[in-house]
Amino acid sequence: MSFVTKLAIAASALAVSVFMVGCDQQRIKELEEFVSTEQDVRDRFGEPNQIWDEADGSHTLEYTRQPPGAQNYIITIGKDGKMTALRQVLAPAYFAKVQPGMDQQEVRRLLGQPAKRTSYPLKNEAEWDWNWIDPPNTKMLFTVVFDAQGKVVRSNSTLVVNSR
């Protein structure tokens, strides 16, 4: 692949992710907690990637922007059909909640779908990666390492260094 082709692909990917962030911000501004309905959410965000039923009768919708983007939205819909919470979960406050011993399902529910999953059979480990942006505009990667039983061993954030 030529340098020009690689450059064009990279520029297209950047434009898509910037467009998605801009669109998400507009969609978010149109929604209000305890006022907007589930249909309002779906009208703006589309079909969720995942839906979880909660014990209290509410349910949680996941909207991932991985791998090209750097956001994952977790939106809670109350029993009354109104949106009770809209969270962009790829941020340090949510990463801090990832603790050793958590299982993969708990991490998935906390952070949403990862951008990449890699298995290391010889090490009996797997890594899940999420792309995220550390303001103002630093590209970062949050990685969670799981053991053979699917339990968190460790996690960390690293700066994404652009390679050519």
Side-chain angles (χ1 to χ4, degrees):
M1 188 179 309
S2 74
F3 174 74
V4 174
T5 303
K6 288 180 185 178
L7 188 60
I9 291 170
S12 295
L14 179 62
V16 167
S17 65
V18 168
F19 175 74
M20 288 173 61
V21 170
C23 288
D24 284 345
Q25 291 305 314
Q26 179 60 37
R27 292 173 182 146
I28 289 168
K29 288 178 183 176
E30 295 173 356
L31 298 171
E32 186 177 344
E33 290 180 354
F34 304 105
V35 174
S36 298
T37 65
E38 179 173 354
Q39 189 59 53
D40 295 333
V41 170
R42 288 175 181 257
D43 287 348
R44 283 151 187 84
F45 280 83
E47 285 300 310
N49 298 83
Q50 182 75 36
I51 302 172
W52 290 286
D53 292 325
E54 307 297 345
D56 66 359
S58 65
H59 56 281
T60 302
L61 311 176
E62 174 193 313
Y63 290 94
T64 184
R65 300 301 187 243
Q66 300 285 305
Q71 296 85 24
N72 277 353
Y73 297 97
I74 303 294
I75 302 173
T76 305
I77 306 296
K79 291 186 293 189
D80 63 356
K82 303 278 178 147
M83 181 184 77
T84 59
L86 188 157
R87 302 173 307 278
Q88 195 294 103
V89 296
L90 299 183
Y94 290 93
F95 301 150
K97 295 178 182 186
V98 175
Q99 299 296 314
M102 290 176 74
D103 66 33
Q104 290 177 338
Q105 186 64 18
E106 290 174 294
V107 174
R108 170 68 192 269
R109 289 198 63 169
L110 177 65
L111 300 178
Q113 179 178 313
K116 181 180 172 187
R117 297 176 192 193
T118 308
S119 294
Y120 297 98
L122 295 177
K123 292 172 65 175
N124 289 318
E125 291 183 341
E127 291 183 0
W128 289 9
D129 296 322
W130 289 264
N131 300 313
W132 68 286
I133 302 293
D134 190 13
N137 200 22
T138 305
K139 293 179 182 178
M140 302 290 291
L141 187 69
F142 182 71
T143 301
V144 177
V145 179
F146 297 95
D147 64 16
Q149 289 73 44
K151 301 290 185 181
V152 173
V153 176
R154 64 189 172 279
S155 63
N156 70 317
S157 279
T158 56
L159 178 67
V160 174
V161 179
N162 291 333
S163 60
R164 292 179 193 208

